Amino acid sequence: MALHCSENTLKELQVLILQCAFSVVLNEDQKPLILAIKKLKCYMTSQSEQLITWSYNTLLLRKAYKAMTDPINEALVSLIKDCIAFTESIRSSCLDAFFALFKESDDMTWLLCLIAEKLPQILIPRIHQYLTFSLSCHGNPFLSSPSGVENDYLQNLISLYDRLFKHLLQTNAKPLMIKSVCQLFHIYFEAITSTSDSQKFILGYILSLPKISPTLTDESWADIFKTLYENDAAGNIFLHEKNTNYSLVKLMDGNTVDLVSLFPSWLARIAFNPTGVVISHAIDVAIILDTLTHDPRLELKYLLPTGDQSIIDKLRPSFDTLDLKPTSINLVDWALSILGSTTIIRKSDDLSIPLFLSQLTILKSDSKEDAVNLFSQLISRLDLRSNYLADDTDIGAKYLILNLLSSAESKWPGIFQHVLQVIFSQAIAMHIADSEGSVNVEKILGNLAMLFEESNQVQCVTIPGFDAFQKYFTNHWRQVLLLFLNHPSLECRAMGYRLLANSHFWEHSSGKTGDCDPQVISNVLINAWFRHMKNRYMRYGEKEELLVVNEQQRLITHCCRDLGLAKTMLYATLDFILNGALEIFPSVDINSLQRERMRLIDKVRQKPVDYQPVRSSPSHLKPPQFIISVDFVKDELDIRDKIYVDNIERTASLFSDFHELPGVTSDACQDINFSLMNRLISKWSPQNVPLDTYDDVLPKNIPHGCDIMIGSAFKDHPILFLILEKCMDSTRGDLPVKDIIRSILVYFIVFWNMKEVVNVPTTLKFATQLEETIRLHILLKKMLPEFLHDIYQLFPFLSAKEMGYTLFNIVWYYLRWHPNTETVIPGIEAKFNFDTSKEEQQLRSEFCLAYCSKRDDGTLEHHH
């Protein structure tokens, strides 16, 4: 049975205590009293509330109760503390009774502060509960209309606990005090998750805290912000309240309403109060608003700053007039999380708040180094590779960074030069120091390339910071090139080439010496091009490899917009071609190599009955074939053939792609083509030779060395046909181009009549030479009558003997003897003058058809 202390005993003890004088040191008179106070603890099981009230009243009556050095006062406070701790441990709380003691007396605030300081884990959460309960019973004056505290009880209550909060924030209990505010949100979320109705008033209390205790709100702000920002907590609260009207508020008139209906008035009276604690954190408020407005669940786009009625516009005066507190999260981290998001990709219109806050940070700072560091972090850490490589044309990051750069340049002219120096100094250091630095290098190259990407609507010269960007790369392009030229990441190489192309560094190369000399640029870029052409055989088919070659091609093409640089680079390209750079093939079996690269998981997934190891064949020892004009053969090309064809077509396009670029005139194109043809002619020295020598030796022999040199060059390097096709139309007539064509024709007449070739049953056996012969015939079209224009379509169906016959007995025969050829080959003049009537043309056409029909029985009549 529980012990019980009578009320008379407590009164007698109280009288004795009040009669005892104060003393700093324990004396004989106090000892029995203190012992009696301690013995009262044996009644805590049944009389805790009575003992707490008795101790409270005794301290109140002693008058000099603040003299806590007095041993009796200490014993009374200890009794209250132990009673509270005991009842809480047995889940029989007496704290409500304890809090009720302080309703009408300010004199005892010290006791509340002291007990809370001694038992912070117990009292702090219960204080929030007590205040929440009080506002739900007596009304919430801060969310009522008109706002303010008119109830004396509430006014005293709020004043008391504000003083308590301030006291605890100055003690070791500060971390617990701050944590308790965030714990209120967790209590709310637990309640709505469990569909409990027990916490319907807690959100109203949280929203009233800035008025109840501005000091506590300010001290807890960073944690409150992070709680709301992380995991979309603010959006989850807003959505739940919008859909359920869960939270309630009791007004001062006694009515209870849902919190959602009071939210606009809360924004106006508390959140945006010019003298309030919330608006002093206006940057954080703007971040929360930005998060809410871009939460697709909430449909709050109207909050964006698009007009005078926007809520965010109400914040703008505060940014200029108030001494704003710093952000609770790193502004760069926040911006990067938005710009790098792969779930919600923001366009430029969705970045008004991040841009405004970033501009504010820069313009309000007096440190140029801080601004440089901000740009350096944005450009170095932003990861846009997946979005940018997808060719997203409206990247919000470009809008934000360039507009931010424009603001920074207005305050610190030339700051972007400094930014680039810092970025690439760090990039070089990272690249050398560790492997992870390579990822950062890739980000830096890609992000800078993205910033200065041209479009149909935007020219590079109009982009903020472009002058500084171009100037930096004009002076440092080679150092930047070294970061990615041999980088193991193909994606990094692609971004590097794209960056150089976007910098237009070559535009100031004319007349320059040193690194920006045209010869230096040409040597570096063309060497890199042909090195990559060779390496493609080892990495063909990879998405990143294709990206690299596309960006290389684009860079060289754009460099050719400069007439002098174009000549230098294309001369070098011709030299590489003639030296066989495109005909250097690895000796490994590419097909086997690609099979070895198959992912292990793919091998595991293959059924045993389906998987059969493929043996290597000696086909990799045979040089690749170049054939693009015979459609039915294309599907039979192996990987090496496809790479070779692609290498040739890409390299040939370097000689013409720049013709279509803005600022490149037709006169400039003709001048470059003339120079290229002149360079080839200077190497070969084609001659106008006597025809009698051909009559005596064709179709078995070639009488002149220049024909052998020119013909063998075209045979060994089929790309020359594509280059000749591209250059012929715009080449002036004072060059012996047709002498070159004559030499090629003579060479291939002899080739198809060689004893090693002539007995081959199909021209497809020599696929590259078949393609070259087709392209030769296309070059001769203007010199042949119309009925011979399409004869090349028969070439894949002929034997080698029939091909030799066609070239010599039809094509050469017509060009050699016909008197009215519109464009004669120099040195080939008609010896006979005969009628070229329609009947003659019809006869020759019939001859061709008859000739083709005889190939099945092998009979060929040689008509002259």
Side-chain angles (χ1 to χ4, degrees):
M1 183 174 179
L3 298 176
H4 183 78
C5 181
S6 67
E7 188 173 341
N8 288 333
T9 302
L10 291 175
K11 285 184 178 180
E12 290 175 0
L13 180 58
Q14 187 181 67
V15 171
L16 293 174
I17 291 173
L18 295 176
Q19 292 175 350
C20 184
F22 290 98
S23 174
V24 175
V25 180
L26 179 66
N27 56 42
E28 293 300 322
D29 294 336
Q30 293 176 332
K31 286 182 179 180
L33 297 175
I34 293 173
L35 182 60
I37 294 171
K38 289 184 178 180
K39 286 183 177 180
L40 293 177
K41 294 181 182 180
C42 66
Y43 305 111
M44 289 190 301
T45 305
S46 58
Q47 293 180 274
S48 287
E49 288 189 15
Q50 186 178 358
L51 292 175
I52 289 173
T53 303
W54 176 82
S55 299
Y56 174 89
N57 290 329
T58 303
L59 287 167
L60 181 63
L61 292 172
R62 291 200 81 195
K63 303 295 184 184
Y65 43 78
K66 292 185 180 179
M68 282 308 300
T69 54
D70 180 74
I72 293 179
N73 282 0
E74 289 182 359
L76 291 170
V77 171
S78 178
L79 176 61
I80 295 173
K81 177 180 75 69
D82 290 342
C83 286
I84 292 173
F86 176 75
T87 55
E88 289 294 320
S89 67
I90 63 173
R91 298 177 182 269
S92 176
S93 177
C94 59
L95 278 176
D96 288 342
F98 175 68
F99 293 145
L101 297 172
F102 300 92
K103 287 181 181 179
E104 299 180 358
S105 176
D106 289 341
D107 294 338
M108 295 300 288
T109 304
W110 69 272
L111 179 60
L112 180 61
C113 293
L114 186 60
I115 297 299
E117 186 178 340
K118 290 179 178 293
L119 298 172
Q121 297 93 339
I122 296 174
L123 259 72
I124 290 175
R126 293 300 303 276
I127 291 170
H128 290 305
Q129 292 179 23
Y130 182 73
L131 288 174
T132 302
F133 177 75
S134 298
L135 293 179
S136 67
C137 292
H138 300 280
N140 188 324
F142 308 110
L143 298 178
S144 298
S145 180
S147 63
V149 182
E150 298 179 354
N151 184 296
D152 290 340
Y153 166 74
L154 287 176
Q155 187 172 3
N156 293 334
L157 184 73
I158 290 166
S159 175
L160 170 67
Y161 285 98
D162 181 34
R163 294 198 299 273
L164 172 62
F165 292 154
K166 288 178 180 177
H167 172 78
L168 292 176
L169 289 171
Q170 296 173 353
T171 68
N172 292 334
K174 180 178 179 178
L176 289 173
M177 193 73 248
I178 293 173
K179 183 179 179 181
S180 70
V181 178
C182 296
Q183 188 63 29
L184 295 173
F185 288 99
H186 297 306
I187 294 171
Y188 170 82
F189 282 118
E190 288 176 3
I192 64 175
T193 302
S194 62
T195 65
S196 170
D197 292 336
S198 62
Q199 302 295 340
K200 282 182 172 289
F201 292 91
I202 193 169
L203 188 58
Y205 170 71
I206 294 172
L207 295 180
S208 301
L209 265 180
K211 284 290 189 179
I212 294 172
S213 180
T215 303
L216 175 60
T217 304
D218 191 51
E219 292 289 344
S220 309
W221 181 264
D223 293 83
I224 294 172
F225 172 83
K226 290 175 183 176
T227 300
L228 292 173
Y229 179 75
E230 293 173 356
N231 302 316
D232 295 323
N236 294 335
I237 293 173
F238 189 94
L239 183 65
H240 183 76
E241 294 297 332
K242 177 183 176 183
N243 293 337
T244 66
N245 291 328
Y246 173 81
S247 295
L248 302 175
V249 174
K250 186 170 184 179
L251 303 180
M252 297 305 293
D253 60 9
N255 292 323
T256 301
V257 299
D258 59 84
L259 180 61
V260 173
S261 63
L262 299 176
F263 186 68
S265 64
W266 176 83
L267 288 175
R269 296 173 182 174
I270 298 179
F272 296 152
N273 185 340
T275 60
V277 65
V278 176
I279 202 64
S280 67
H281 297 277
I283 298 178
D284 284 342
V285 173
I287 291 174
I288 292 293
L289 284 175
D290 180 80
T291 304
L292 292 175
T293 55
H294 290 95
D295 189 330
R297 304 171 299 167
L298 308 182
E299 299 178 351
L300 293 176
K301 283 282 188 176
Y302 65 88
L303 291 177
L304 289 173
T306 56
D308 296 336
Q309 302 303 315
S310 168
I311 290 180
I312 188 61
D313 288 330
K314 296 180 180 179
L315 289 173
R316 292 182 182 272
S318 303
F319 292 118
D320 299 325
T321 59
L322 293 178
D323 183 16
L324 297 178
K325 302 291 180 65
T327 56
S328 300
I329 61 171
N330 185 288
L331 199 59
V332 173
D333 291 341
W334 173 61
L336 289 172
S337 69
I338 293 173
L339 300 177
S341 173
T342 56
T343 55
I344 301 177
I345 300 177
R346 295 204 196 180
K347 306 296 184 181
S348 56
D349 293 341
D350 300 322
L351 292 169
S352 52
I353 294 178
L355 173 60
F356 175 72
L357 297 183
S358 301
Q359 288 173 327
L360 183 73
T361 301
I362 285 181
L363 296 178
K364 284 208 166 190
S365 172
D366 294 326
S367 172
K368 181 179 178 181
E369 295 304 316
D370 288 345
V372 170
N373 182 56
L374 186 148
F375 282 108
S376 176
Q377 288 192 61
L378 281 176
I379 295 172
S380 301
R381 295 170 53 196
L382 182 62
D383 191 355
L384 284 179
R385 290 172 294 174
S386 58
N387 295 343
Y388 186 36
L389 294 179
D391 200 24
D392 189 344
T393 56
D394 185 18
I395 297 176
K398 182 175 183 178
Y399 164 82
L400 187 143
I401 296 176
L402 290 180
N403 279 277
L404 192 59
L405 178 59
S406 180
S407 300
E409 287 282 353
S410 66
K411 185 171 184 178
W412 295 293
I415 189 175
F416 195 52
Q417 278 274 356
H418 192 186
V419 170
L420 291 171
Q421 291 171 3
V422 170
I423 286 175
F424 282 107
S425 295
Q426 294 174 349
I428 292 171
M430 289 186 296
H431 186 57
I432 295 173
D434 60 78
S435 58
E436 291 188 6
S438 63
V439 177
N440 290 319
V441 169
E442 185 177 324
K443 291 180 184 177
I444 290 169
L445 299 177
N447 292 336
L448 284 173
M450 171 270 299
L451 290 179
F452 297 96
E453 192 78 59
E454 288 184 291
S455 66
N456 294 332
Q457 294 78 28
V458 180
Q459 298 300 311
C460 60
V461 293
T462 64
I463 300 176
F466 177 76
D467 289 341
F469 178 65
Q470 185 183 38
K471 182 178 179 181
Y472 180 85
F473 280 90
T474 299
N475 297 321
H476 301 95
W477 70 273
R478 289 194 74 180
Q479 292 92 318
V480 175
L481 184 75
L482 291 175
L483 283 175
F484 66 84
L485 185 61
N486 297 311
H487 199 283
S489 166
L490 292 181
E491 201 169 286
C492 184
R493 296 187 201 179
M495 291 299 97
Y497 287 120
R498 184 178 294 188
L499 174 63
L500 289 184
N502 292 351
S503 74
H504 293 237
F505 73 93
W506 62 85
E507 290 184 351
H508 302 296
S509 63
S510 298
K512 286 257 186 176
T513 57
D515 284 349
C516 217
D517 178 85
Q519 193 63 52
V520 174
I521 297 174
S522 174
N523 289 344
V524 173
L525 297 186
I526 301 304
N527 267 286
W529 172 263
F530 284 99
R531 185 164 57 250
H532 187 72
M533 291 294 102
K534 176 184 175 182
N535 293 336
R536 294 188 77 200
Y537 289 93
M538 310 299 292
R539 308 190 73 158
Y540 183 77
E542 298 178 19
K543 178 182 176 183
E544 293 80 6
E545 187 280 327
L546 185 61
L547 188 65
V548 173
V549 74
N550 286 341
E551 294 300 337
Q552 269 190 296
Q553 189 172 343
R554 175 173 174 259
L555 172 59
I556 295 174
T557 299
H558 279 266
C559 285
C560 288
R561 293 169 71 173
D562 182 281
L563 183 61
L565 184 56
K567 290 181 179 179
T568 304
M569 296 182 77
L570 296 179
Y571 288 169
T573 304
L574 279 178
D575 291 342
F576 271 96
I577 290 169
L578 294 174
N579 289 328
L582 290 175
E583 283 71 44
I584 300 175
F585 313 114
S587 58
V588 298
D589 186 343
I590 305 299
N591 295 302
S592 299
L593 182 63
Q594 292 222 338
R595 286 193 297 272
E596 289 298 324
R597 286 181 177 172
M598 185 192 307
R599 292 183 303 171
L600 179 60
I601 190 170
D602 291 335
K603 290 184 178 180
V604 171
R605 285 174 177 171
Q606 285 181 320
K607 297 180 181 179
V609 294
D610 293 335
Y611 178 72
Q612 295 180 352
V614 181
R615 298 178 179 177
S616 299
S617 66
S619 62
H620 66 279
L621 302 176
K622 183 178 67 175
Q625 302 294 306
F626 173 71
I627 183 161
I628 57 178
S629 300
V630 184
D631 292 337
F632 66 84
V633 178
K634 290 181 180 179
D635 294 336
E636 300 177 9
L637 298 178
D638 67 13
I639 293 175
R640 300 169 81 244
D641 296 332
K642 293 176 181 178
I643 300 171
Y644 185 46
V645 167
D646 194 54
N647 284 352
I648 287 176
E649 291 182 326
R650 286 182 179 275
T651 305
S653 70
L654 299 179
F655 291 83
S656 59
D657 282 356
F658 67 93
H659 294 181
E660 308 301 323
L661 295 178
V664 179
T665 65
S666 58
D667 290 342
C669 295
Q670 288 188 7
D671 183 63
I672 292 174
N673 288 342
F674 177 82
S675 300
L676 292 172
M677 292 305 303
N678 204 26
R679 187 172 183 85
L680 288 175
I681 289 168
S682 66
K683 291 179 177 292
W684 293 328
S685 301
Q687 302 171 6
N688 189 339
V689 298
L691 286 187
D692 292 344
T693 54
Y694 292 114
D695 294 336
D696 294 338
V697 297
L698 285 180
K700 297 296 185 181
N701 294 297
I702 304 174
H704 302 289
C706 66
D707 295 336
I708 297 174
M709 181 185 297
I710 295 171
S712 61
F714 276 82
K715 170 184 166 293
D716 295 339
H717 314 301
I719 187 177
L720 292 175
F721 283 96
L722 279 64
I723 295 173
L724 188 59
E725 290 172 14
K726 295 175 186 294
C727 295
M728 263 189 63
D729 292 339
S730 57
T731 301
R732 300 198 294 264
D734 52 348
L735 287 178
V737 175
K738 295 180 181 63
D739 282 328
I740 295 176
I741 297 175
R742 182 205 66 222
S743 294
I744 302 170
L745 176 58
V746 168
Y747 186 91
F748 276 92
I749 289 173
V750 174
F751 173 83
W752 289 109
N753 284 280
M754 290 171 57
K755 63 180 181 179
E756 297 87 349
V757 177
V758 71
N759 293 321
V760 173
T762 173
T763 53
L764 292 172
K765 179 72 174 177
F766 298 95
T768 300
Q769 285 68 47
L770 169 60
E771 176 67 29
E772 291 168 338
T773 306
I774 291 173
R775 307 201 79 83
L776 168 62
H777 187 273
I778 294 173
L779 289 174
L780 290 168
K781 266 190 176 184
K782 290 184 179 180
M783 309 172 195
L784 295 172
E786 186 176 352
F787 70 84
L788 290 179
H789 282 186
D790 296 328
I791 194 174
Y792 70 90
Q793 296 182 20
L794 301 173
F795 290 177
F797 304 98
L798 303 182
S799 67
K801 185 176 183 180
E802 292 165 343
M803 177 69 85
Y805 177 87
T806 302
L807 289 182
F808 180 62
N809 293 78
I810 297 178
V811 177
W812 175 266
Y813 176 79
Y814 181 87
L815 294 173
R816 174 72 178 87
W817 300 105
H818 204 283
N820 294 329
T821 306
E822 290 185 4
T823 310
V824 296
I825 295 180
I828 301 181
E829 298 178 358
K831 288 189 175 182
F832 304 100
N833 186 16
F834 58 111
D835 184 19
T836 56
S837 62
K838 292 184 179 179
E839 290 76 8
E840 165 72 3
Q841 294 188 15
Q842 181 65 28
L843 177 63
R844 293 182 178 277
S845 179
E846 291 174 356
F847 165 76
C848 292
L849 292 174
Y851 155 74
C852 295
S853 67
K854 291 179 181 179
R855 70 176 301 268
D856 291 335
D857 59 12
T859 59
L860 291 171
E861 296 180 9
H862 297 265
H863 297 280
H864 293 277

